[in-house]
Amino acid sequence: MVIKERSPSAPGSCRAGCGACCIAPSITTPMPGHPRGKPAGERCVNLADDLRCRLWGRPERPAFCAGLQPAGEMCGDDRLQAIAWLSALEQATRP
């Protein structure tokens, strides 16, 4: 997931220092460092210390990640709200 600068008035861009979308959701497809996917709540090994995705723009980036677009409802006012919202969505969509 891309972690770009985000301000409340900039829909469609990520909040710097967040990384919630690289932690909260599960990813069911293989990717570097996660050959069987990534469980919900586990930090992706491709999330750098500055909370930026190391796979951004690379073909190895899962389609799920590329399809997840930041939005006010998902991102909330801060990182904790984003993690809470994505975690709730994960729970609600479990098979």
Side-chain angles (χ1 to χ4, degrees), residues 15-35:
R15 177 186 298 109
C18 183
C21 56
C22 299
I23 299 168
S26 61
I27 299 172
T28 59
T29 56
M31 65 180 148
H34 295 284

Side-chain angles (χ1 to χ4, degrees), residues 13-63:
S13 61
C14 289
R15 177 186 298 109
C18 183
C21 56
C22 299
I23 299 168
S26 61
I27 299 172
T28 59
T29 56
M31 65 180 148
H34 295 284
R36 295 186 184 129
K38 180 196 87 63
E42 180 180 300
R43 181 186 173 111
C44 179
V45 298
N46 299 295
L47 184 60
D49 289 341
D50 66 356
L51 301 175
R52 293 180 182 267
C53 176
R54 292 185 185 111
L55 297 180
W56 177 254
R58 295 179 52 192
E60 302 89 352
R61 185 174 182 223

Side-chain angles (χ1 to χ4, degrees), residues 58-84:
R58 295 179 52 192
E60 302 89 352
R61 185 174 182 223
F64 170 82
C65 300
L68 188 61
Q69 298 298 310
E73 181 181 48
M74 178 178 78
C75 298
D77 292 328
D78 57 36
R79 181 176 194 262
L80 293 177
Q81 285 184 1
I83 288 175

